[in-house]
Amino acid sequence: VSQCAVRTMTQHAEIAALNLLPEGISLRQLQRMTLVVIRPKYSQKLRQTRMLCAQPCRECANIIDKLGIKMVVYSSENMLHRRTPSELMLEALPSSGTEWLIRS
């Protein structure tokens, strides 16, 4: 198999977390849920952990909104941000994969 034929599949953190939800979770439970997505990075040099950008992309925000999840907390620039799904939809940018498809 050539290297070009090998494809890798990745998941955004939000989707990976949602896929780990117990089977049979109810719509009511989803509507009460707060999804937390953080991206910590430890610096050996500074001996501290920084929070990098984990803002959901437009595609993930759309899924979160359609599921009816109550709130999302995400990290960015050493801060935590709290947004409703509708607020996320207003701020979210397309994923790099979507941008690549648009350019192609």
Side-chain angles (χ1 to χ4, degrees):
V1 177
S2 75
Q3 290 290 15
C4 294
V6 176
R7 293 181 185 246
T8 59
M9 183 67 90
T10 62
Q11 277 185 346
H12 288 200
E14 303 86 339
I15 303 307
L18 293 170
N19 283 334
L20 291 174
L21 289 173
E23 217 174 295
I25 191 164
S26 70
L27 184 58
R28 182 179 170 140
Q29 288 171 308
L30 283 172
Q31 291 170 342
R32 292 178 169 177
M33 179 190 300
T34 297
L35 180 63
V36 179
V37 186
I38 61 169
R39 189 173 168 205
K41 181 174 183 179
Y42 182 73
S43 168
Q44 292 260 339
K45 182 179 178 182
L46 300 174
R47 298 212 277 188
Q48 69 181 28
T49 301
R50 297 181 316 137
M51 293 294 186
L52 303 179
C53 183
Q55 181 178 3
C57 68
R58 187 176 296 152
E59 295 78 15
C60 289
N62 188 36
I63 291 168
I64 291 165
D65 186 49
K66 290 205 182 314
L67 287 173
I69 292 172
K70 177 181 166 183
M71 192 69 58
V72 178
V73 175
Y74 66 90
S75 64
S76 180
E77 307 298 324
N78 274 334
M79 293 177 63
L80 292 178
H81 304 272
R82 183 180 171 147
R83 301 284 188 269
T84 64
S86 54
E87 290 170 332
L88 268 182
M89 291 294 293
L90 293 173
E91 300 172 355
L93 299 173
S95 69
S96 57
T98 298
E99 287 181 343
W100 181 83
L101 286 172
I102 292 169
R103 286 191 302 260
S104 298

